[in-house]
Amino acid sequence: MKSSVMDRACEVGYVVGVCSLFMAVGPGLMVLNKDIMEKVGFPYPFLISSMGLVFSAFVAHIMKALGMLKLQYESTVDFKFWTQKCLPVGVCHAATLAFGNAQYLYSGIAVIQFLKSFTPIVTAVVTYVIMSRKETFSSSAALVVLCVGTSMAASGDSTITIVGIALAIGSSLTEATRLVMTD
């Protein structure tokens, strides 16, 4: 009995630790990316975005080559499957990251977070357009409350430009499309 309680406590502690780390790393990377582009003077948001993706792909290929990674669906993923299912998701993900990083050149972090907070509503609209799936009234109301609450929490530098807004729209649309494609 005691060991199951201890095991459960360890599981909960692990989950809380991982979630805490995730919540700290995300904002830290936002600030780091903005500093790299503005203070260091490296205005190449697409290159910054691609470095993480290329590194992840490199590590995955090395792990596969060393036998540390077993691909569960390797026989299913042929060229046609990859180009029709995987590639569009990857392109949308890369575009979301690139648009998101480019925003730091044209808008303040608070404005970016404010605009990003509406991505769940954009996702619901894209889901309706692509899959004809309607949200329930209670789900829609919850989305609006969530987005308004999140947007109110964004405070700080309020620098805003038309280019920044266009990049935010591109980021939200590509993220929403990616999420719908993986549904």
Side-chain angles (χ1 to χ4, degrees):
M1 183 72 166
K2 280 187 176 182
S3 68
S4 66
V5 170
M6 285 299 288
D7 289 344
R8 182 71 180 143
C10 287
E11 286 177 20
V12 169
Y14 177 77
V15 169
V16 168
V18 168
C19 290
S20 298
L21 181 64
F22 179 79
M23 291 185 331
V25 168
L29 284 175
M30 282 185 340
V31 172
L32 178 64
N33 285 345
K34 186 160 180 71
D35 283 350
I36 288 171
M37 287 185 273
E38 287 184 351
K39 292 180 182 171
V40 175
F42 190 77
Y44 305 106
F46 299 110
L47 182 58
I48 291 172
S49 297
S50 68
M51 288 190 308
L53 298 173
V54 168
F55 180 75
S56 296
F58 178 75
V59 169
H61 279 64
I62 295 296
M63 289 176 70
K64 169 88 169 68
L66 294 175
M68 299 168 64
L69 185 65
K70 173 82 172 101
L71 301 180
Q72 187 175 358
Y73 301 105
E74 188 171 10
S75 62
T76 305
V77 181
D78 58 8
F79 184 75
K80 181 179 177 184
F81 182 91
W82 185 81
T83 55
Q84 290 180 351
K85 307 268 187 203
C86 301
L87 185 61
V89 171
V91 167
C92 282
H93 186 63
T96 298
L97 293 174
F99 287 142
N101 270 347
Q103 288 179 71
Y104 295 119
L105 295 173
Y106 301 97
S107 299
I109 290 179
V111 171
I112 292 168
Q113 290 308 303
F114 173 81
L115 295 172
K116 235 183 240 186
S117 70
F118 291 96
T119 299
I121 291 176
V122 174
T123 303
V125 170
V126 169
T127 301
Y128 175 73
V129 169
I130 293 176
M131 300 176 76
S132 300
R133 187 170 65 196
K134 290 183 180 179
E135 297 291 331
T136 64
F137 176 77
S138 59
S139 177
S140 297
L143 275 174
V144 169
V145 169
L146 171 80
C147 293
V148 169
T150 305
S151 68
M152 289 179 1
S155 62
D157 181 11
S158 60
T159 306
I160 189 165
T161 65
I162 297 297
V163 174
I165 292 172
L167 290 166
I169 291 169
S171 180
S172 287
L173 284 173
T174 54
E175 177 67 5
T177 303
R178 180 187 72 84
L179 291 171
V180 170
M181 284 191 292
T182 57
D183 189 7

